[in-house]
Amino acid sequence: MAETQTKADLSYIASVTRVRAAAGVILRDQAGRVLLVHPAYKDVWEVPGGTVEPDESPADACTREIREELGLSIPAGALLCVDWVPASPPWDGGLMFLFDGGVLTADQVAAMRLCPDELDGFEFVEPGRLGGVLIPRLARRIVAALAAIGRGGVYLEDGVAISNR
């Protein structure tokens, strides 16, 4: 069935909620530890990833960020979770996507080259230690994403599965 084009109601379009979007990747080492990175411009640890740019899909943003931040060519794998993050001024609410990047080989780890303008460190962290290293919402998101590997993606709100609220 062909799509039909209707005249756009510009006032309605202007009233529709806009959200920010970001995409990250869960990369693990052979021991099952999660790759965390330390942004040069923040005082927190994160997973590789970043903001979705205009006209870019979350999967494409994830792949681009892996290349820019780590110097690796790894496509975004399966979607592990989408997390609705409520507004926290000055930030609007947002949708945070986490993809499965798989298990890195020793050669891939050795080939990683951090972009010095973006990252000043990385560490592989055991899943049980994530809560002590990451901000709580991100720790919840990553733990939920790890549980979704091989099972299909989950929907979260503020890092919590809807069925668990």
Side-chain angles (χ1 to χ4, degrees), residues 1-157:
M1 179 173 179
E3 283 189 41
T4 58
Q5 193 70 8
T6 60
K7 185 176 180 188
D9 180 346
L10 298 180
S11 63
Y12 173 74
I13 292 170
S15 74
V16 173
T17 300
R18 305 282 194 257
V19 296
R20 62 191 164 97
V25 63
I26 302 293
L27 293 164
R28 299 171 315 273
D29 68 3
Q30 300 290 325
R33 299 175 301 176
V34 178
L35 176 66
L36 299 182
V37 294
H38 191 268
Y41 50 89
K42 291 182 183 178
D43 194 26
V44 296
W45 288 85
E46 299 182 341
V47 291
T51 302
V52 176
E53 294 181 353
D55 299 320
E56 182 178 52
S57 76
D60 287 345
C62 185
T63 300
R64 174 184 51 78
E65 290 285 352
I66 295 168
R67 187 179 60 255
E68 289 176 0
E69 291 182 352
L70 304 175
L72 298 175
S73 293
I74 299 173
L79 177 66
L80 296 175
C81 75
V82 176
D83 188 6
W84 163 252
V85 176
S88 179
W91 294 100
D92 295 327
L95 293 172
M96 307 300 143
F97 297 81
L98 273 181
F99 294 91
D100 187 1
V103 177
L104 296 173
T105 66
D107 288 342
Q108 287 173 309
V109 173
M112 284 193 328
R113 298 292 176 258
L114 302 184
C115 175
D117 293 339
E118 295 193 37
L119 301 176
D120 60 16
F122 75 91
E123 181 178 342
F124 285 95
V125 175
E126 293 84 9
R129 288 190 44 235
L130 293 170
V133 178
L134 299 168
I135 64 169
R137 174 178 50 228
L138 183 54
R140 291 190 303 267
R141 184 181 311 143
I142 293 171
V143 167
L146 289 169
I149 292 173
R151 296 190 179 121
V154 295
Y155 173 72
L156 311 171
E157 288 191 3

